[in-house]
């Protein structure tokens, strides 16, 4: 029995190490799976991976990046044209390392790209990712409008029925 427990613990440690290495390869974004390790009698070990259906990582990272006012201000500034990091950081009351973290989030979400030329790192807006987020918002807006229209029609119908009585 003790050998079985040690064997299972060793396998669990191996799988945890392997899944953490996999998540490091994916990047610092959210992990798309949640491994669960089950140890059964006779040393059998099963790993069950749960994943979410219809999970859109690009949309989630875009909205995560746009959730911060500093990053939204950077996007607004880059809408005017490309800019070096130093000029982008000037209006903000924070150190350059903290500002670079904001840029890293924007870059990992695909909203901006950076290019280094000599000593200057220039940021450029990627409108494709913004248009994907805008398209999703438009779909949601239409769904809500349709629901509100149906509700308004129902209320009007109920009011006319009450007037008829």
């Amino acid at each position: 029995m003790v050998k079985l427990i040690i064997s299972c613990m060793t396998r669990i440690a191996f799988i945890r190490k392997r899944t953490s290495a996999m998540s490091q390869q994916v990047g610092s974004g959210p992990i798309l799976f949640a491994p669960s390790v089950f140890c059964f009698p006779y040393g059998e070990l099963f790993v069950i991976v749960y994943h979410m259906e219809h999970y859109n990582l690009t949309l989630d990272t875009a909205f995560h990046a746009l959730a911060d006012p500093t990053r939204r201000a950077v996007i607004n500034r880059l809408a005017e044209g490309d800019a070096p990091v130093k000029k982008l950081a000037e209006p903000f009351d924070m150190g350059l390392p903290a500002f670079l973290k904001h840029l890293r989030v924007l870059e990992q979400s695909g909203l901006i790209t950076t290019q280094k030329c000599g000593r200057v790192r220039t940021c450029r807006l990627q409108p494709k990712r913004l248009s994907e987020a805008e398209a999703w918002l438009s779909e949601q807006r239409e769904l809500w409008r349709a629901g509100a229209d149906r509700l308004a029609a129902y209320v009007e119908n109920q009011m006319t029925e009450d007037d008829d009585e």
Side-chain angles (χ1 to χ4, degrees):
M1 183 69 172
V2 173
K3 282 185 173 181
L4 174 66
I5 293 172
I6 292 173
S7 173
C8 286
M9 291 175 66
T10 305
R11 290 179 184 171
I12 290 170
F14 171 75
I15 289 177
R16 283 187 181 153
K17 190 182 298 183
R18 188 170 180 190
T19 55
S20 70
M22 288 169 59
S23 67
Q24 288 173 358
Q25 289 174 356
V26 170
S28 61
I31 297 174
L32 299 178
F33 56 88
S36 297
V37 180
F38 298 97
C39 189
F40 293 102
Y42 311 110
E44 296 175 14
L45 183 71
F46 294 96
V47 177
I48 299 174
V49 178
Y50 298 102
H51 68 281
M52 293 180 276
E53 296 293 327
H54 309 295
Y55 186 78
N56 190 345
L57 180 63
T58 59
L59 195 59
D60 287 350
T61 57
F63 281 119
H64 167 71
L66 293 171
D68 186 77
T70 302
R71 295 191 284 264
R72 287 194 304 268
V74 169
I75 294 292
N76 286 337
R77 168 54 188 87
L78 288 176
E80 299 170 6
D82 300 351
V85 171
K86 193 135 179 125
K87 278 196 174 181
L88 285 173
E90 283 175 0
F92 302 104
D93 187 29
M94 66 177 73
L96 193 58
F99 185 74
L100 288 174
K101 288 181 182 180
H102 286 289
L103 289 182
R104 191 173 314 121
V105 170
L106 287 169
E107 193 169 15
Q108 287 174 347
S109 70
L111 292 171
I112 67 169
T113 57
T114 60
Q115 183 180 11
K116 189 166 186 175
C117 184
R119 293 181 148 198
V120 178
R121 180 168 293 280
T122 305
C123 297
R124 171 176 288 141
L125 185 64
Q126 293 298 315
K128 181 178 182 260
R129 186 60 50 100
L130 280 175
S131 63
E132 291 172 1
E134 199 279 325
W136 183 84
L137 285 172
S138 294
E139 290 173 12
Q140 297 303 310
R141 189 178 305 116
E142 289 305 315
L143 288 173
W144 281 95
R145 273 196 189 131
D149 291 344
R150 285 192 308 271
L151 178 62
Y154 175 76
V155 169
E156 287 176 10
N157 187 18
Q158 291 298 316
M159 291 179 74
T160 57
E161 286 179 7
D162 289 343
D163 290 342
D164 291 341
E165 292 176 3

